[in-house]
Amino acid sequence: MNITITKSVSNGILIAPYQLNIWLGCFILITGNISTIGNIIIFSSRSFRNRACTIYLLAEAFVLIFFFNFVLLTRTLQKGFQIPLLNRYDVICRLRYFASQYTNLLAINLFIFASLDRLLSTHRSPAFRKWSGQINLAYKLVLVCTIIWFLVSCHRLIFYSALTGQCIAQQGFYAIFDNYFEAIVSGFCPPIIILILAYLLMQSVRSTIQRQTVLVNTVHNRSAPNLTFLRKTDKQLTRMLLWQTFVAIPAFLPYAGELIYTNITQYWSKSDQWIAWEDICTEIIRLLSYTFFSTRFYVTLMSSDGIREKILNIFGMKNRINPINEP
């Protein structure tokens, strides 16, 4: 962030990036922690804990605790409250930028595995369905992902440093590579994969509904016991995936674009006014990149009647909201 004050740039524009990190950063930090704790409570409950899909989501939630309370927290303290943790301490600098990429990629991968497990569970082919719901396989994949993404991201522990008084990547080829790698892997790939999985999952559920409907119409003209449930699931699933897609696109794509723009224009001649507005846009985009993970619990809560009912049961609120009328 540029902190040089010039006469051509108003003070309000110059302090806007700091205020954004204080207010928006703290808001995302609080709501993200509430969302993560909510997911841990739900997915560790008796109703959900013995599912392969839940293992991925629960592991993701524990990763996000570190993501919010180290990666986002240090950003808020450094960029908002002007506490120079990253620029002053080399160890924190290296760990923070390593954790930023590592936890982000690991959490996205676990979410994708959870979506893939749902997709396989509704596939028409028994050969594909048998791969879903395997708890032992889920534990193994979580471990494999944890190791692979550590190996992929550990270069930041070496090539990031605060020895010059500023926490930055090693200049030259590595800095360009790191920026483009993050733009592709953390920016472009997640929303594309989420869109593809959402489309395939909805198509798979609707294909199952069509098969059940044909069965109902051809066998005794009776309602299949799970057809109504499937239709309700399809409606809730569609709503949830659409909401998640709407959040994923503004969270990831602008971030990828900003990284590429920074690489391309880093040596361009720019006015002080242009640089100041760039700083504001950069802080907004980078803060919004946290929103996909900070809103996961709320998206699920809004789109799933079953999840809302489970939460009421977990906290013992269902009977108080809908009291049983005794004779």
Side-chain angles (χ1 to χ4, degrees):
M1 187 185 303
N2 296 281
I3 59 174
T4 303
I5 299 177
T6 65
K7 295 180 180 179
S8 61
V9 183
S10 69
N11 190 54
I13 295 176
L14 290 172
I15 66 172
Y18 306 107
Q19 295 298 318
L20 281 168
N21 277 283
I22 292 173
W23 297 105
L24 184 56
C26 288
F27 176 76
I28 296 174
L29 181 63
I30 294 169
T31 55
N33 273 293
I34 293 172
S35 174
T36 304
I37 293 170
N39 282 330
I40 290 174
I41 292 173
I42 290 174
F43 297 128
S44 61
S45 66
R46 185 179 301 176
S47 303
F48 290 94
R49 68 178 63 156
N50 293 322
R51 303 180 186 182
C53 176
T54 300
I55 292 170
Y56 298 122
L57 296 175
L58 194 57
E60 180 203 18
F62 284 110
V63 171
L64 291 179
I65 289 178
F66 191 73
F67 179 70
F68 287 118
N69 294 292
F70 181 65
V71 177
L72 179 56
L73 179 60
T74 52
R75 176 184 183 83
T76 303
L77 293 174
Q78 170 94 12
K79 301 276 189 176
F81 293 96
Q82 296 298 289
I83 302 174
L85 293 174
L86 304 183
N87 294 340
R88 181 177 296 174
Y89 303 104
D90 189 62
V91 172
I92 296 179
C93 166
R94 296 172 189 266
L95 286 175
R96 195 270 175 190
Y97 275 94
F98 159 74
S100 173
Q101 187 173 87
Y102 178 54
T103 56
N104 187 282
L105 294 177
L106 182 56
I108 291 171
N109 199 161
L110 292 170
F111 172 78
I112 289 172
F113 274 158
S115 301
L116 187 60
D117 183 80
R118 294 174 187 173
L119 173 62
L120 292 173
S121 69
T122 60
H123 202 279
R124 65 185 304 171
S125 171
F128 284 101
R129 285 202 305 273
K130 74 176 183 179
W131 290 102
S132 69
Q134 295 192 26
I135 295 177
N136 290 334
L137 178 62
Y139 281 118
K140 291 176 182 177
L141 288 176
V142 169
L143 179 60
V144 169
C145 285
T146 302
I147 296 172
I148 288 177
W149 289 122
F150 175 85
L151 295 175
V152 169
S153 305
C154 67
H155 58 87
R156 288 191 163 191
L157 292 170
I158 302 171
F159 294 108
Y160 270 79
S161 175
L163 297 179
T164 60
Q166 188 177 5
C167 184
I168 55 175
Q170 181 176 302
Q171 294 298 307
F173 172 79
Y174 175 76
I176 298 173
F177 159 78
D178 186 62
N179 246 14
Y180 280 112
F181 178 81
E182 186 169 10
I184 294 170
V185 177
S186 299
F188 287 121
C189 288
I192 293 173
I193 295 174
I194 290 169
L195 280 169
I196 293 172
L197 286 176
Y199 173 78
L200 292 176
L201 186 54
M202 288 188 291
Q203 289 294 106
S204 181
V205 171
R206 288 169 185 175
S207 176
T208 302
I209 292 173
Q210 289 174 357
R211 294 197 305 272
Q212 291 284 346
T213 304
V214 171
L215 181 65
V216 168
N217 293 334
T218 56
V219 181
H220 306 303
N221 197 28
R222 292 166 53 188
S223 296
N226 62 339
L227 185 57
T228 302
F229 171 77
L230 284 171
R231 285 174 175 161
K232 183 178 179 181
T233 300
D234 174 51
K235 183 178 179 181
Q236 293 183 1
L237 187 62
T238 301
R239 189 164 58 224
M240 182 179 69
L241 291 173
L242 285 174
W243 274 105
Q244 287 177 337
T245 303
F246 289 150
V247 176
I249 290 174
F252 293 116
L253 291 183
Y255 179 63
E258 186 270 327
L259 290 173
I260 293 174
Y261 170 83
T262 300
N263 254 351
I264 293 173
T265 66
Q266 60 181 322
Y267 300 115
W268 290 9
S269 177
K270 304 172 186 177
S271 67
D272 293 330
Q273 188 83 10
W274 183 269
I275 293 173
W277 281 108
E278 265 190 4
D279 287 341
I280 294 174
C281 293
T282 297
E283 297 309 315
I284 292 173
I285 290 171
R286 298 205 171 192
L287 287 168
L288 290 180
S289 68
Y290 293 88
T291 56
F292 177 75
F293 297 116
S294 68
T295 57
R296 291 282 314 289
F297 173 73
Y298 311 111
V299 169
T300 305
L301 196 63
M302 289 189 297
S303 57
S304 175
D305 297 333
I307 292 292
R308 287 198 296 271
E309 184 177 346
K310 293 295 182 183
I311 291 175
L312 294 178
N313 287 333
I314 289 170
F315 290 101
M317 298 171 61
K318 188 175 181 181
N319 290 334
R320 280 180 284 176
I321 296 177
N322 298 306
I324 300 175
N325 294 324
E326 297 183 357

